[in-house]
Amino acid sequence: MKITQSRDLISRKNRVVPAFLVGLLALLPLPLLSRSAAAQTFTELYPFNSTGRLSDGGTPEAGVTRDADGNLYGTTFFGGAGTGCDIYYAGCGTVFKLDSAGTETVLHSFGGRYDGWNPTARLILDAAGNLYGTTGYGGAFGHGTVFKVDKAGNETIIHSFAGGTDGDRPNAGLVQDAAGNFYGTTQYGGRGCYGQGCGTVFRIGVDGRETVLYRFADFPDGASPLGGVALDSSRNIYGTTWLGGAYGYGTVFKIDMCGSEKVLHSFAGGGDGANPLDAPVLDKAGNMYGTTAAGGASGGSLLGLGTLFKVDAAGHESIVYTFTGGPDGANPYAHLLVDAAGNLYGTATSGGVTGNGTVFEFSDGLLTPLYGFSSPDSNGENSDGQYPMGGLITDSAGNLYGTTVQAGTYGWGTVFEVQP
Amino acid sequence: MINTFGVSTFGTKRMTQLLGARFIPGAVLLVGVFALSSVTAQTLAPICHAKMSAPIEVVSSHQRNEAGTKAQPPITQDQGFDWPDAQISALKTDSGYFFFSIDAGTHYRQLWHGQWVGNNNSGSVVRTAGTLDNPLGSAPPVDVVIDHNPDPKVNPHNCDPTKYPHNFCYTYIGGGPVYQVPRDRVGAGNWLLVYHAEYNDPNYYLLGLGISSDRGEHWTDIGEIIRFNMPFSYQGSPAGAAIGDPPLVTSPDGKYFYIYFQDWLKDGNFTMASVARASIDSVLKAAFGGEKHYAAPFSKYYQGKWDQPGIGGASTELLPNARYGGGLNVAYNSYLQRYMMLNSDSQNYSYAESIDGQHWTDTVFLGMLGYVPNIAGYSGPIGLGDDPNILGKEFYVYYTQFRGPWPGGQSVKRFTLTCR
């Protein structure tokens, strides 16, 4: 179903509108916020549960990956044909393919004794068409896996996390360097945090062997990384932690090629952000951009609805946008997409006109809501989806692709496209 | 009570509000802020300087589902073990702890061991025996309903909803925090419980008391104690506030039970925290002192006086600067020599402190622990000393981690809060 909306531009904090009025924006009628009326088109590319009983998957949290032929790939937390998982609801999750004709195929259904379960991470694709990802649950030791699924849908467990000093609960996606090594994080495992472990950063070598590069220690170090990592050309690793840091609201960290970690920024709450849930992205100039799910409040309060932050090449952090909960959205969970011109694209999981999340563009200090998701009906269904938790990807034409975890035509989330 | 955000397109389609929490989208949140901004700011400063650990899982969804298969009396509805649908509270025993919370499922009337049990209604009182690291334990959970009082005049609304006109009976009743009557008091050794009850068309919430003389094998309703200032109306709007299922808290002078809740006011606004009280002597005498067992009346605190009836009276906002509410849980902290109030809207967690239980610090933001739709509800603090209802320098906070359609993937997590 195609839906067309006009776009609204909203200034970044303090640029046009005084800070004390920012909150009021949420209460203003929409026309007062509009700066232009360029239209964009939204398309629900695929609604999950189309086949009934979630056999095609359900609850896609991570967004999608696209190949050169225009096929989209992703994971779903529930659904598929697998059984035996800890968090069971009509299947243990899937790896799916959505071709350009809109036909969805389940490449792999998770489940079973040694397989991973319930994936939440985005996939990455190699030149041969193999998909790589993580599951936070399952595996040989029950602490999650790194897996590979080939074009034919054959799955291989590359690594099963052992817990303890090894990682535990790899929730986030992987990144791959030029040599073919994979990098990622685990929420738990490592050291500290009352025996549960404060999380790790790991590397999987081309030989499939896993190495823990860093174990977080909590205050003043970070704890519980929920997002993946980003790599620069010097093989430095950048990421965020959900918790920990000097103020307990999470960190931005850097790990150099020698394995030495440095907290670049501890989020302080209040006007600063709090609780980042995904990895930052790097632009050509070496600036890092990311989201915090909370923080960014004005008026001295320690509560906010989330921010966009920047850490420059010198390691200085600044908040470039504070979400208001109005048409711009609230609580951005996912990583940002940066295009060649330096424009940022992302999702806010809640907020927007109906409170069900938005797709936005941020450029030249202005945030433009590109799409606001609609409210589901009493069956939890609508025509576009609800709560985009994952990030966006783009194609050569500038179209944006993502997922929503709930609602859609059959109530179990969607894959969507926005043409800005 | 069921997950606000959980959506199902097959199986159950029930969706009601988290009884202890409410996520407030941006626009709604701001309306609440402005409505409350005229109240005088508090001057008391917090002294805890809390450090929050990364959460750990203490009951997996698999363990919860397994325990449900052993529950006594047996669960009679299809969804399984809908636990914990309220904050977990505890009493210490010689060998460990009893933990209490609610199974939200419908408890159909059934003949079990020669006795009729169940009430054809949703909700119950679940008693488990375990440890702080495993509150579910290994013994079968005792999962019983709150029986109606032998005197029908005490509470005619605790009745079988299949036998009375629409919405005359509650559609949910369960509890809750348990107070063990001390040796030197009327009713010594008996248990007193706060229950949460609901009507669901439209949603409306209230609090009452139950008693047990056999350590939670049976519970008897002794009547309502708190209703919103806004009366229930079949034609009215759903309640804007979450009344929760709060514990009874002993006042500084030891003479009163205080109980904290969100109130829905007649002007349509709601408070983030209100308080009511009744003398402990009157409550225990009414509950246990005679042949009839009933609830002594509570009085709400309003504009400096305790003169408003607990059933429908007006109340004063205790947290005028708070920006979200629900899930209130107050306990005395012997290390701080202050009361602490845990507060969450199922996403954001905070606390406040008070010396007298009436005047509170501004809330201190702890972090964003749940993210829609994977919300974190029903936070409850448990002390590590002899009395788990008394907190110390370090204590645990348990909560329900929602994941997917209720109750399939729900687990129980815990974090440690340390006052530095």
Side-chain angles (χ1 to χ4, degrees), chain A residues 61 86 188 249 275 303 333 412, chain B residues 9 55 62 324 365 372 403:
Chain A
E61 292 196 0
D86 197 28
Y188 301 126
Y249 300 128
N275 304 120
L303 174 66
Y333 299 164
W412 283 87
Chain B
T9 55
H62 180 73
Y324 56 93
F365 182 48
V372 175
R403 197 82 202 221

Side-chain angles (χ1 to χ4, degrees), chain A residues 275-287:
Chain A
N275 304 120
L277 297 178
D278 207 346
V281 294
L282 298 163
D283 70 7
K284 289 178 180 174
N287 300 306

Side-chain angles (χ1 to χ4, degrees), chain A residues 149-289:
Chain A
V149 173
D150 68 19
K151 276 184 169 178
N154 300 306
E155 188 220 28
T156 306
I157 300 295
I158 296 173
H159 180 70
S160 283
F161 289 90
T165 54
D166 192 12
D168 181 1
R169 199 67 65 82
N171 292 303
L174 304 166
V175 296
Q176 193 171 25
D177 67 14
N181 302 299
F182 296 103
Y183 299 83
T185 63
T186 63
Q187 181 183 357
Y188 301 126
R191 59 176 167 162
C193 291
Y194 300 89
Q196 185 87 5
C198 300
T200 71
V201 176
F202 66 84
R203 178 179 66 211
I204 306 280
V206 291
D207 58 358
R209 295 181 63 178
E210 184 239 19
T211 304
V212 176
L213 299 177
Y214 186 73
R215 296 176 174 90
F216 291 96
D218 203 356
F219 178 80
D221 195 10
S224 288
L226 289 181
V229 296
L231 304 176
D232 70 10
S233 56
S234 302
R235 294 169 60 192
N236 296 306
I237 300 168
Y238 300 89
T240 63
T241 62
W242 173 42
L243 302 172
Y247 308 102
Y249 300 128
T251 68
V252 180
F253 66 84
K254 172 185 176 181
I255 298 173
D256 66 22
M257 57 186 299
C258 300
S260 179
E261 189 243 19
K262 180 181 180 183
V263 174
L264 296 178
H265 181 70
S266 285
F267 289 101
D272 196 8
N275 304 120
L277 297 178
D278 207 346
V281 294
L282 298 163
D283 70 7
K284 289 178 180 174
N287 300 306
M288 201 177 342
Y289 294 90

Side-chain angles (χ1 to χ4, degrees), chain A residues 23 26 49 53 61 77-78 86 120 188 194 196 218 224 242 249 275 293 302-303 333 380-381 387 406 410 412, chain B residues 5 7 9-10 13 30 51 53-56 61-62 323-324 347 365 367-368 371-374 403-405 409 418:
Chain A
N49 200 29
R53 301 293 306 174
E61 292 196 0
F77 188 82
F78 292 115
D86 197 28
T120 57
Y188 301 126
Y194 300 89
Q196 185 87 5
D218 203 356
S224 288
W242 173 42
Y249 300 128
N275 304 120
L302 284 171
L303 174 66
Y333 299 164
E381 297 165 359
Y387 304 144
Q406 289 189 175
Y410 300 106
W412 283 87
Chain B
F5 307 100
V7 174
T9 55
F10 59 84
K13 291 186 178 178
L30 287 162
K51 177 180 181 292
S53 75
I56 64 172
S61 58
H62 180 73
R323 296 199 172 193
Y324 56 93
Q347 280 195 280
F365 182 48
M368 186 178 188
Y371 29 99
V372 175
N374 303 327
R403 197 82 202 221
T418 307

Side-chain angles (χ1 to χ4, degrees), chain B residues 143-366:
Chain B
D143 187 350
V144 296
V145 303
I146 300 173
D147 296 321
H148 63 79
N149 195 287
D151 181 350
K153 292 193 292 292
V154 168
N155 189 353
H157 301 292
N158 182 6
C159 50
D160 184 341
T162 66
K163 295 179 179 175
Y164 285 83
H166 176 65
N167 259 6
F168 177 79
C169 304
Y170 305 141
T171 55
Y172 181 107
I173 177 170
V178 172
Y179 173 84
Q180 182 166 263
V181 182
R183 264 180 280 184
D184 54 348
R185 293 279 197 175
V186 174
N190 289 293
W191 288 358
L192 183 65
L193 163 143
V194 179
Y195 67 72
H196 167 105
E198 297 182 1
Y199 297 100
N200 65 3
D201 186 21
N203 290 337
Y204 190 86
Y205 315 112
L206 55 96
L207 301 174
L209 295 178
I211 57 173
S212 175
S213 58
D214 58 6
R215 294 163 68 87
E217 299 286 336
H218 299 83
W219 289 95
T220 300
D221 183 4
I222 61 169
E224 297 180 7
I225 55 171
I226 302 291
R227 280 201 180 212
F228 291 135
N229 180 223
M230 179 79 82
F232 177 68
S233 167
Y234 295 107
Q235 287 78 39
S237 303
I243 205 164
D245 192 13
L248 296 170
V249 180
T250 304
S251 65
D253 60 9
K255 294 181 179 176
Y256 295 95
F257 282 134
Y258 285 179
I259 190 162
Y260 297 84
F261 53 94
Q262 273 194 290
D263 205 350
W264 185 24
L265 305 176
K266 280 184 178 173
D267 63 7
N269 287 312
F270 55 88
T271 66
M272 294 300 179
S274 295
V275 64
R277 77 176 187 186
S279 78
I280 295 176
D281 284 344
S282 70
V283 171
L284 297 182
K285 184 178 177 184
F288 304 107
E291 290 185 5
K292 292 193 174 182
H293 309 287
Y294 60 94
F298 277 63
S299 301
K300 292 184 184 179
Y301 180 68
Y302 180 63
Q303 295 187 347
K305 296 180 179 176
W306 298 90
D307 61 356
Q308 290 287 311
I311 308 291
S315 64
T316 285
E317 172 64 73
L318 301 180
L319 299 175
N321 297 321
R323 296 199 172 193
Y324 56 93
L328 300 181
N329 245 302
V330 174
Y332 186 70
N333 188 309
S334 59
Y335 174 73
L336 301 177
Q337 297 191 0
R338 287 182 171 196
Y339 295 92
M340 289 191 80
M341 176 189 290
L342 262 292
N343 190 325
S344 100
D345 62 356
S346 299
Q347 280 195 280
N348 303 290
Y349 277 59
S350 67
Y351 70 93
E353 300 172 15
S354 174
I355 296 169
D356 62 5
Q358 293 173 247
H359 302 89
W360 291 83
T361 66
D362 281 340
T363 55
V364 178
F365 182 48
L366 286 169

Side-chain angles (χ1 to χ4, degrees), chain B residues 367-404:
Chain B
M368 186 178 188
L369 287 188
Y371 29 99
V372 175
N374 303 327
I375 55 175
Y378 308 139
S379 60
I382 292 183
L384 308 184
D386 287 339
D387 184 348
N389 297 300
I390 303 294
L391 311 180
K393 180 178 182 180
E394 184 172 280
F395 58 93
Y396 293 151
V397 179
Y398 294 77
Y399 63 91
T400 302
Q401 175 67 64
F402 288 78
R403 197 82 202 221

